[in-house]
Amino acid sequence: MIFVGDLFAFESGDRIAADGVVVEAQDAKCTEADLTGEPDEFPKVKIDESNWEIAELSGVILAKSLCVGGSGKAICTSVGLNTAAGAISDNSSDR
């Protein structure tokens, strides 16, 4: 089980369990097809003060995305219905 504030590792082949901010990345790439329907691979990079604005999306990893290359570590920012995937699911069930 993962909680907000936990550090979690991910590597190629892993389905991401929570939203998080990337703090370490080695050639990490993810696809967010389950969230967006787009099959594109997105590089994931460590966010730090030198790239905060340009790394805004590439420094975030989302629950239900699939790591398709490399590896990394992230700090959990959201779990369950509080993730981006949870919000999409919750909005879909309101209809």
Side-chain angles (χ1 to χ4, degrees), residues 13 17 24 40 44 50 71 90-91:
E24 185 178 306
D40 299 335
K44 297 298 172 182
S50 70
S71 62
D90 191 42
N91 287 335

Side-chain angles (χ1 to χ4, degrees), residues 44-77:
K44 297 298 172 182
V45 299
K46 172 186 172 182
I47 288 185
D48 61 31
E49 46 289 331
S50 70
N51 68 354
W52 183 257
E53 290 186 25
I54 61 170
E56 187 174 337
L57 294 176
S58 58
V60 173
I61 195 162
L62 299 175
K64 291 197 173 183
S65 59
L66 177 66
C67 182
V68 294
S71 62
K73 293 181 181 175
I75 295 177
C76 177
T77 57

Side-chain angles (χ1 to χ4, degrees), residues 3-61:
F3 297 96
V4 173
D6 284 353
L7 179 69
F8 66 93
F10 58 92
E11 63 185 7
S12 186
D14 286 351
R15 178 76 53 191
I16 307 304
D19 291 354
V21 175
V22 178
V23 294
E24 185 178 306
Q26 296 82 36
D27 299 317
K29 293 181 215 136
C30 290
T31 178
E32 297 166 355
D34 284 357
L35 296 169
T36 65
E38 297 292 325
D40 299 335
E41 295 177 1
F42 297 99
K44 297 298 172 182
V45 299
K46 172 186 172 182
I47 288 185
D48 61 31
E49 46 289 331
S50 70
N51 68 354
W52 183 257
E53 290 186 25
I54 61 170
E56 187 174 337
L57 294 176
S58 58
V60 173
I61 195 162

